[in-house]
Structures are given as structure tokens and as C-alpha cells.
Amino acid sequence: MSRLIRLTVRLSLVLGCAVHVSAEAPPQLPGTKPLKLEGDIASHMIDGIDKFLMRKLAESEARRARRLNNEFILNREAVKKLPFHGHDLKTIIGVVDPRVPFDAPELVATTDRPALVARGVGFDVYAIRWPVLYDPQPDRKIVSIHGEGLLLLPRGKKPVGDVVAIPHCDHTPEQIVGLAPGLPPESQYARRLAEGGCRVVVPTLINRDDYIKNLTHREYIYRSAFELGRHIIGYEVQKVLAAIDWLDKTSQGRRLATMGYGDGAMIAMYAAALEQRIDLLSISGYLSTRERVWAEPIDRNVFGRLLRYGDYELAQDVQLIAEHAPSPTRTFNGGRGAPYEIVDVTKEQHKHIPWIRWGQFAILDVHKFTDDIPYVDPFTCRSDDVIIGLTSDNPVVGIPVPKRFKGFQELPALPDDVKPAKLPPLGQPPKWLTQPVDTKARHARQFNEMDRHNQALLRESEVKRAAFMKRLYDAVPRGIDAYNKVAADYRRVFREEVIGAHRFNTGSFNARSRLDAETDQWTRYEVVLDVFPDVIAYGLLIVPKDIKDGERRPVVVCQHGLEGRPQDVIGEKSHHYYKAFATTLAERGFVTFAPQNIYIFKDRFRVLQRKANPLGMTLFSIMVPQHQQITEWLKTQPFVDGKRIGFYGLSYGGKSAMRIPPLVDNYCLSICSADFNEWVWKNASTSTFAKRYTYANKGEYEIFEWDLGSTFNYAEMAALIAPRPFMVERGHDDGVAPDETVAYEYAKVRRLYAKLGIPDRTRIEYFNGPHAINGVGTFEFLHKHLDWPAPKRKE
């Protein structure tokens, strides 16, 4: 239907003149108010969702605060008895695998270079590596991931403390030891700790240089790991904790500390939050409120973190020294990877941070907030307590409680016997005894180990999913009723832990509509519904004109794909992939509704996923309630049979067909077109064969969903749709995946329906064609399972 017709209809409403057969069509649908919203309604919808999510992010700190009992925080003895919450944290950063036990790190040497690589004032520097994680295959005790870096040992004297000093991800261990240029001497904190008598392990972190154009090493590892229930943060925390395991065994009672700058501070914080053997955490250039984590590098994205953990909750079980120093700022405008900006924590933000609320002993250096804060202030080590603080010129004191936090007491000043002490004066920097360590080769080893480990996890993921789904599949022989009862539990897990429960009740429809266009066969309306505060649902409803009074017709919800609009599926735009299937189905007698889904406007919608994830939500946390509201409203229309509403989506609409109908029981069937495949493989595989298909190297950075590898691939999602009818439409030339992986995954669905005794309720149609609606077998499927007669063929 052309724009001219639609505009003419709207003009006729204003001028009161008739066009075509408009005298028969009411200006709005029954029970709805006039729709007066103008402009791009899709853009309006995205803006509202953004406002909704930003409000929830802003509220997250207060929600977390309510989880803590102020009385416990004030009582030091009670604090020690607080339950340890590390289990949840371990899960969401993927620290779920047992570490490899070992006696001591390995010295990394060759025939041309000994492991003793450098010597500083009072300490020696060794190249080391240590085992961290086994290969995921259970019966293989092969070390898959190692830590690698430098070990600094006091020379000729007993260590006074044990520290894992973690550089920022774009710094090398050699830089914070003083063996490579890039940092001023006072910022070479691993070197300064060693000069003060500490034994120091300095691990290598994966950097943010490009792995392929506009996709960083860290994001590349993050993508596959995230899909498989692991995380680059978790891998690096495991490396730190493995080093702590060794330091603890050989510490002879000395206190253990983690210390870092930038991303090194982030890893140090997570490690200290998980490991109660770590006595002290000292961080610089990182601590913040984290409600803007969505704008930071995506490799910092942790699903559901802000439901439980801000930075201050992470520090609640450890003595903390946090230094206000400029963050390692960096901006990336995107490409294949997610755009990000690392900004410095503002002075005003630091003034309002609720330090008193977290930690047994939270202390912070007191700077006069000026514009000449040094890059990183020098750290100091007190010999017998490993209190890492500042030089005596900048005393460390307790922070007064802001007056707005009523009922809290002021922290005491630092005890008299714990005072920062001056380190030895800076002398000559350490010197190489050999050729410098090849840091690029070491980084490549660390990167490739993580990538191979992810691929090994991918190979084992099917076994994990089978174990996860066992209770549901065990119910199959007991019949459909038993199956449905158990499936309800799995749908709850899918809603809450994968899609992300929205946790907000939908309000009244407040339905608004207006006539959009009509022919002699149908009338089309624009419809807007309220869902949450600031969140609307929008779409186009097509109503056949031959509906008799009192007759109720089946509905097909026709869903567009990526960057699509309802106008695409009705044929108003020249998108031949859709073949105007919403209009065609209306002309076959179905009521059709074409919703506007969220995946439009490129980074505008992708950033919504990033804002949702820290809240334990996804885009589908919004879309599921939108479709619930749409289907509930459709049931109120006098011409709709609420028990016969089907879903049919192409491409990203096919993704929707796998995720929305399992959770919206108003949908009595689902058709996935041009999307069904071995979804976990498509997201997580980095193999040569997968290179053409995988999202691991593409620009859809929002596509990754937490831990699908262990829970719900497409066959498992289809099991949540069962026993309702389910169909796949697949073109042989569709580049979404090869036919082989599509057929492999669908075979599991076909077997399930056959075992349930309902093989006629599922079907796959292959056709010679591209990524498009075919509209042959699917139309037959809709007529059969929505119980609506197909039109007679013309002779």
C-alpha cells in the first residue's frame, strides 16, 4: 500500500472527505482512543525504552543499599559474620571451574635465555608461568589456561609481604616493573613494592589492541566466553587466584594483597571479593559507581551485576585503600566492536561516593581536588603489615560520613601502629640481564589459550545442555500433561536467568489507534499501547473486510527482522525478502498484526542491550512484555479469536520466534523463518569453517546472551514452545548458517515432537532461495493449525 494512500486517508480524516471506501471504515478501532502521536513512532518507542532503562540504572544503587542491614555494617564483629555472597559473583563472572593445583610456578627459560631476566635494587625478576584451568573435557587432565608474567623476589632477605600487582590491560608487566618505557618511575608500583621487600607476582592481561579491524582482543574473547557462561574477567581472576593459591602456601603467615590500576584494579577487586584469604585490596584509577558501565568497554559487561554488586559491595569483605587518580581514559567509536568510552571519575562523583557503607575498613587518600592530580601517585608499603598506601606526604585517614547518610558513624582514623612509611629512595631502575621478554609473543600465547579454551567449552556445551534438560526430557514418556508441568519450571528459568525477568507489571493498555489505509479487501490501523512507564508497543493491524458480525478470526503476528519496520512486512516498502506476507495473509482471511520490535537504529538499540544487561535484563525483557500486552489487547477485539494467535517472524523476527512464544502463552504456535540454526555454535565458534557465519567476528555486538551454551540452544527453546505447533522455514541459500547445522539442530526438535506423539505439529520446509519469506509450507501450516480454510486455487 503506497504512502500516497495512507497520507490521503489521513488528510481525508482531517478534511472530512471520503477516499476509496473510507465511509465503511471507522477512524479508530473499538475500545481505543484516537492516536495523535506523530513523527517516527519507532524512534519515539526507542527513546522511551532508553529513558526507562536509564531510570532503572539510576535506581540500582539504592536498591542494592536496601539489601544491606545498616546495623551489621556499623558493627565490626557482626560484619565478620555476614554470609559470604561470593557464589553469585562467581557465577556471573564465570569463575565456576576448579583451578589446577600446583606446587610452584614454572620458570620460563630457553637455551638462549635463562628465567632470571632482570635485576633491580634489592630484587630479582624471573619470567614465570603457572597452571590455572584444565581442558573442559572431564576425563582430560590437560592444562588449558596458564597465567604468565613476572615474579619479583627480594634478594638476600625474607619477603615482608606477598602481593599480586596487576597492570592495566594496555600496560605490560615490564612497564610496572620499570623494565619498559611508558610509565614514570613513581607509577611503577610492582617495582616499588619489590624495592620495599615484597614478593610480587605480575600477571599479563589481554589488551584492547585490535585483533581484527575494529574488534579488540578483549572483546573477541569476551564474546564466545559470555555465550558459554564464562568471562574474560573470570579467566583473569582465576589467574590471580591461582597465584594467590601459591603465595598463600608459601607465605609463612604474611598478609596477602591484590593491587592494580585501571583494568588491573577491576581484576584485583573481583579477586578480593571472591577470596577471603586476601587481606588487603589497593586500587587506583578505577573505582566508580558503575551505573555507566554500559558506556565502558563491553568486556566489562557482567550480566545482572548491578542487581547485587556495585564496586563498593565488592569491597565489603576486605580492607580497602582506593586512590583517586586519573583513569586510563580511552575512546573507541565502534565498528565490528562495541563503542566505548573510559572516562575519569569526576571530582564531584568522588565526593559523593558512599565509602562508609562498604567494607570492614574503607580508606581513601585525601587529595585536595585540583587539576594537577598526578597520573598515578606513588604507592608505599609498610613492612610488616603490607599496608599499601601513599607516601607520607599524603596521609591515609578515615573518611567522614556525608551528612545525608543518617545513622552512620565516622570511621576511625588509621591506627597509630599502621602508618604509611617511606619506601627506599628511587634509585637506578632494574636492568635486563638477557634479551627483553618478547611481550607480543607472550600476549599471543595468553590470547590463544583463552580462545582455544572457549572452543573446547563449545564442544562440551551440548553435553551440558543435555544434563540441564534431562528432567524435562525424562517427562516425555509420561505424556503431554506431565511434560507441560515440568516445562513450566524450565520456562521460569528461561524467563528469569536467560531472557531476564522484567520484574515490572504491565499497566492498562491505554490503546490508541487511527485508520492508516484500506482496500476493498481489508482495513489497516496504526495501534499504540502502553506497556511500562515510558515504554509503548506499536504496530499495524490489518482486518479483513469480510468478517461477519460476531465472527472471530485467527491472528498472525508478522514480525520484521533487523532494522525493519511494520511497513516492511505489509509491502509498503520495497523489501522483497518479506514478500508483503502480513498483507498476503490478511487477504487469505487472517487478521494480522505487524509489531515494531526494538532492533532498529543500529547503535541506539544495541546500547539498550548494554544498559539492560547489568540489570539482569535483555532486549527481550522489554519485547516479551510488549508482546504480552499486544496479545492481551488483541483478545479484546470483537473480531479476534484469542485462542488462535500465531507468531511468524523472519531473521531477527525469527530470533523473536524462538524467545517470545515460550513466554507468551497467548501464542498458540510459532514459525521461525531465516534464523533457526545451531545458535550457540553461530555465536561462539571461531573455527575456520564458522568464519563466514559466526557472530564472533561481526558487528552485532548485542547478540550474545549469557550462558546459552549450558542452557538453551534453539532445540531447547523449541522444547519450551512444545507441545504447541512449531515450524522452521529455511532457504538453501540463506547465509545465516549452513544447511547442515540447521538440519542437525532441527532433528532434535523433530525427535521431541515424535516422542511426545505429536509429529504433525512440527515441520521444516527447505526451498531454493535466500534469506526470505517463502510463504508456501508456512502458509499451509498456519491454515492447518489456526484452523482457517485456505483459499481455493484458481483454475
Side-chain angles (χ1 to χ4, degrees), residues 421-607:
K422 284 190 176 181
L423 288 168
L426 271 169
Q428 292 297 314
K431 295 183 178 180
W432 290 105
L433 301 177
T434 68
Q435 288 293 321
V437 171
D438 188 339
T439 57
K440 289 185 177 179
R442 181 182 62 200
H443 182 271
R445 288 193 297 272
Q446 293 282 280
F447 173 83
N448 289 330
E449 278 192 345
M450 286 189 189
D451 184 32
R452 287 195 299 268
H453 190 80
N454 282 341
Q455 299 313 294
L457 285 167
L458 175 59
R459 291 191 294 273
E460 288 296 304
S461 66
E462 189 160 13
V463 177
K464 296 288 187 183
R465 291 193 299 275
F468 170 73
M469 296 292 289
K470 185 176 184 301
R471 192 166 72 89
L472 181 59
Y473 292 149
D474 283 351
V476 170
R478 301 200 301 272
I480 289 177
D481 288 343
Y483 180 88
N484 267 332
K485 185 176 181 181
V486 179
D489 294 334
Y490 280 86
R491 292 185 188 110
R492 190 176 306 113
V493 172
F494 186 59
R495 178 189 297 275
E496 294 178 0
E497 298 183 18
V498 177
I499 297 301
H502 55 80
R503 301 180 180 84
F504 316 110
N505 295 324
T506 54
S508 64
F509 302 128
N510 188 25
R512 291 90 78 198
S513 69
R514 66 182 165 217
L515 182 65
D516 183 58
E518 63 176 329
T519 70
D520 57 355
Q521 291 182 274
W522 47 257
T523 308
R524 188 171 69 224
Y525 293 89
E526 288 186 291
V527 179
V528 172
L529 308 172
D530 287 351
V531 183
F532 303 137
D534 300 314
V535 178
I536 61 171
Y538 160 63
L540 298 177
L541 180 72
I542 306 180
V543 184
K545 283 196 169 181
D546 62 350
I547 299 178
K548 299 179 178 65
D549 288 344
E551 181 185 7
R552 291 182 177 270
R553 291 278 181 94
V555 181
V556 182
V557 172
C558 301
Q559 190 62 67
H560 64 76
L562 180 66
E563 298 297 333
R565 292 175 179 268
Q567 289 75 13
D568 298 332
V569 303
I570 64 172
E572 185 174 284
K573 292 190 175 182
S574 58
H575 286 280
H576 63 279
Y577 300 110
Y578 295 106
K579 297 182 180 177
F581 76 109
T583 300
T584 302
L585 286 168
E587 291 171 350
R588 296 171 75 98
F590 296 100
V591 175
T592 64
F593 188 85
Q596 177 68 63
N597 266 4
I598 295 174
Y599 30 81
I600 188 171
F601 304 124
K602 299 180 180 179
D603 282 338
R604 281 180 66 193
F605 93 82
R606 291 194 165 102
V607 169

Side-chain angles (χ1 to χ4, degrees), residues 259-270:
M259 176 178 183
Y261 172 70
D263 284 282
M266 174 185 71
I267 299 300
M269 281 187 70
Y270 279 111

Side-chain angles (χ1 to χ4, degrees), residues 767-782:
F767 64 95
N768 281 321
H771 188 75
I773 294 289
N774 189 44
V776 178
T778 52
F779 284 10
E780 294 171 359
F781 194 79
L782 288 167

Side-chain angles (χ1 to χ4, degrees), residues 376-393:
V376 178
D377 283 89
F379 287 98
T380 299
C381 171
R382 176 164 159 40
S383 61
D384 58 348
D385 280 313
V386 199
I387 295 295
I388 306 164
L390 299 169
T391 57
S392 56
D393 294 331

Side-chain angles (χ1 to χ4, degrees), residues 88-94 222 226-227 229-231 233 270 293 298-309 493-503 608-621 702 704-708:
D88 287 340
L89 183 60
K90 284 182 178 180
T91 300
I92 63 176
I93 64 170
Y222 157 86
F226 195 83
E227 193 78 8
R230 305 302 190 279
H231 206 295
I233 289 173
Y270 279 111
V293 68
I298 199 170
D299 55 81
R300 294 181 177 181
N301 177 50
V302 175
F303 188 71
R305 177 188 155 174
L306 291 184
L307 296 176
R308 301 177 182 88
Y309 308 102
V493 172
F494 186 59
R495 178 189 297 275
E496 294 178 0
E497 298 183 18
V498 177
I499 297 301
H502 55 80
R503 301 180 180 84
L608 297 180
Q609 178 86 320
R610 300 200 54 194
K611 292 177 179 180
N613 270 189
L615 299 168
M617 297 168 63
T618 65
L619 295 178
F620 286 97
S621 300
E702 89 293 347
F704 305 93
E705 296 161 287
W706 174 247
D707 199 19
L708 283 193

Side-chain angles (χ1 to χ4, degrees), residues 207-224:
N207 65 39
R208 288 201 184 92
D209 293 342
D210 276 1
Y211 170 61
I212 53 178
K213 187 177 180 180
N214 291 328
L215 180 61
T216 69
H217 288 97
R218 289 188 74 82
E219 183 171 351
Y220 190 78
I221 295 297
Y222 157 86
R223 290 179 171 196
S224 296

